[in-house]
Every structure is written in structure tokens, then in C-alpha cells.
Amino acid sequence: MHPWPQEKYDKSRMANNHEQALIKFGYRCGRSGAHASRTMMLDDVSALLAHVQPTAAPCDYRREVVDSNTLGKPTRKARELTFRHLVALYGLDPGLAVFRVFRQLWHLDEEARPVLALMVALVRDPLLRLSRDFMLAKHPGESVRRDELEVLLAKDDTDRFTSASLKSFAQNINGTWTQAGFLVGRRHKTRVVPRITPTNVTFALFLGYLEGLTGERLFASQWMNLLPGSPDELVLHANAAANRGQIVFMNAGGVKEVRFPGYLSSEEEMLLHE
């Protein structure tokens, strides 16, 4: 076997290091996820976070869900399954930067919560991520049909899922986008414009930063593209977030700089810049 050219090897190693860093920050890779059997469980995570302190350890979340049955599930098996799905979707571990910052922002802004939860679910669920571009390509007022989503999910591997599984996955995914405010309707879904706040822009910028973006590129990330509004409107939200003390944002002469003081530990900052 011939060795790779050095440049190709270096790029492959850098990509692998970048992926490993994202996993340590709380990202999940792979092909499947919690949406195989659940939505993003907005009601459950909302109830759980209302009962657990922001500094709680993973065992505290487990105790609330499984032992104390804070979420009111009928059996211990159901409680354990719910906890596993919530971990898959959100991490529930302050050692993960994505969850830690999500939890911090969740506490600050109730109106931002549905879209905050969606962003974390997208970070952590590869199955949900398959639907992202499909949903964003839909214009407000346009119908979103379940069968369209089923075709999308089956596109790359037509033998991977049964028709019943595809129907269930599509229903769960549509349920999540509905909970986040991107869709309305029960049986017939319609694309709408979600409500966002400066806090959602803060989290979108932070996720872009974790992915290695800085400056102007942060405002063109996949996370900022998830949010409705013109570029000027999103910049206004960033200014408002800075006024709230959520970020440091400087915008002068067409040059943008965003900083996230206190968001990452020194070890995480080193990992980010390796």
C-alpha cells in the first residue's frame, strides 16, 4: 500500500482531531439518534431543568428522573428509558461545553428555550440533522409533508429502514420542529417563522466558535443560518446579547469580533485551538 502524500495525511489528521474535540465539547456523530423513538422531548427537559440546579452532576439528573420520578413516568423501566433519551439529546453533563452553556442560557431567557433545545438536539442527534436543510428550504406558509421527509431519510440507504420506521422517524422529527416553533399544525404541518431572541444568537455564535469559526465567519455559520432574520437583524440581536452581558461583540469598519468570556475552561480553550 502506498503511503498518503503528506498534505493529505495532515488534513486527515486535522479533521480527525477536530472531530474528537467536538465530541469532547458534546457533539455526537454516527448515523442514528434519539429521534428514532422520540421528539426532542421539550416538555420533559423543561420540567427536569426546573428541578435541578445548573451546577448539578450527571448523577443528580439521573436521580431526579429515575429515583424521584420528577417527570411522572409510570414504571421504572420507562423512567430509565426517558433518562437515556434525554442524555442522548442533551448530554446532561456540565463537563460538556455544549450542555453547560445551553443550561446557562436556558436559565437566562425563557422565550429562547424552544430554539435553544432544538440547537442542542441538532448538535447531538445525527438523525435529526438529516432534516435540517430540508426544513430550512421550506418557505413560510409552505406545506411540510411527512412522506417528503421519509424519502429524505431513506435517500442514502434505501434498505436501512422499514417503511414503518421511516414513518415514525419522520413524525418524531416533525414533532421536534413543531416544538421549536418552525412548524404548526397537527396532521398537516406548515412552515412558519419561529420566535428568536438575542440569547438564541448568542448560542448560535458559540456553536460556530466551537466549530473553529471566528469574526465575520461566525455570522455565516450553519447555526446562524438556522435563525430567521436578515444579516442586519441578526447583528442587532448580537448587539443586544452584548448589552445583556452574554457575549463581547465589536463591530467596526466592517470587522466583527465576538468573544465568549467565561464560557470555556482553559483546558477547553487549548483543545479548541490545537
Side-chain angles (χ1 to χ4, degrees):
M1 180 180 295
H2 295 291
W4 284 3
Q6 185 64 38
E7 182 180 357
K8 185 175 181 181
Y9 171 77
D10 289 344
K11 287 182 178 178
S12 176
R13 183 176 62 179
M14 288 173 62
N16 183 64
N17 289 344
H18 180 60
E19 181 176 294
Q20 292 305 310
L22 289 175
I23 290 171
K24 290 180 180 179
F25 292 142
Y27 284 64
R28 294 186 76 211
C29 302
R31 301 179 66 195
S32 189
H35 280 78
S37 55
R38 292 290 190 277
T39 67
M40 71 175 181
M41 304 172 71
L42 183 60
D43 288 344
D44 282 333
V45 76
S46 298
L48 179 59
L49 298 185
H51 283 84
V52 182
Q53 292 298 314
T55 55
C59 61
D60 298 318
Y61 290 99
R62 177 178 175 80
R63 182 167 53 249
E64 283 291 332
V65 176
V66 178
D67 298 330
S68 300
N69 195 21
T70 297
L71 303 181
K73 303 303 177 182
T75 65
R76 185 175 183 87
K77 182 177 180 180
R79 299 195 293 270
E80 291 175 342
L81 188 59
T82 295
F83 178 71
R84 287 201 298 271
H85 287 311
L86 286 170
V87 169
L89 284 164
Y90 298 100
L92 304 185
D93 182 351
L96 301 174
V98 168
F99 175 72
R100 186 176 66 245
V101 173
F102 160 74
R103 184 74 215 266
Q104 175 184 333
L105 296 175
W106 179 276
H107 175 70
L108 295 176
D109 190 343
E110 184 173 354
E111 189 176 0
R113 291 174 180 176
V115 176
L116 286 176
L118 172 69
M119 287 193 278
V120 178
L122 284 166
V123 164
R124 293 188 56 80
D125 194 327
L127 194 59
L128 178 63
R129 284 200 294 272
L130 292 175
S131 69
R132 179 186 176 278
D133 291 344
F134 166 81
M135 289 296 179
L136 296 186
K138 294 288 187 178
H139 299 293
E142 192 172 352
S143 175
V144 177
R145 302 201 320 269
R146 192 195 69 232
D147 62 317
E148 291 180 292
L149 191 52
E150 291 175 20
V151 170
L152 173 69
L153 295 173
K155 182 180 65 173
D156 293 332
D157 191 346
T158 55
D159 297 325
R160 183 181 173 198
F161 303 122
T162 66
S163 58
S165 293
L166 287 170
K167 178 180 178 181
S168 176
F169 299 169
Q171 287 174 333
N172 292 334
I173 289 170
N174 277 342
T176 282
W177 288 97
T178 302
Q179 291 170 25
F182 285 74
L183 300 177
V184 294
R186 292 182 62 84
R187 295 188 60 186
H188 302 288
K189 300 291 187 181
T190 302
R191 181 74 160 85
V192 293
V193 178
R195 293 182 61 84
I196 66 165
T197 77
T199 303
N200 298 121
V201 169
T202 293
F203 198 48
L205 292 169
F206 176 68
L207 292 175
Y209 180 66
L210 289 182
E211 294 172 8
L213 304 179
T214 58
E216 186 73 39
R217 295 173 65 204
L218 281 171
F219 286 82
S221 76
Q222 61 176 331
W223 301 106
M224 290 295 279
N225 291 337
L226 180 71
L227 305 179
S230 69
D232 287 343
E233 289 170 332
L234 294 175
V235 167
L236 289 175
H237 278 307
N239 280 320
N243 290 335
R244 296 180 180 187
Q246 295 178 359
I247 57 174
V248 173
F249 177 48
M250 290 171 281
N251 182 23
V255 177
K256 296 182 176 66
E257 180 180 354
V258 187
R259 296 201 299 269
F260 305 90
Y263 277 36
L264 297 178
S265 68
S266 57
E267 292 81 5
E268 289 169 335
E269 287 284 4
M270 288 179 61
L271 180 63
L272 180 62
H273 297 296
E274 281 182 353

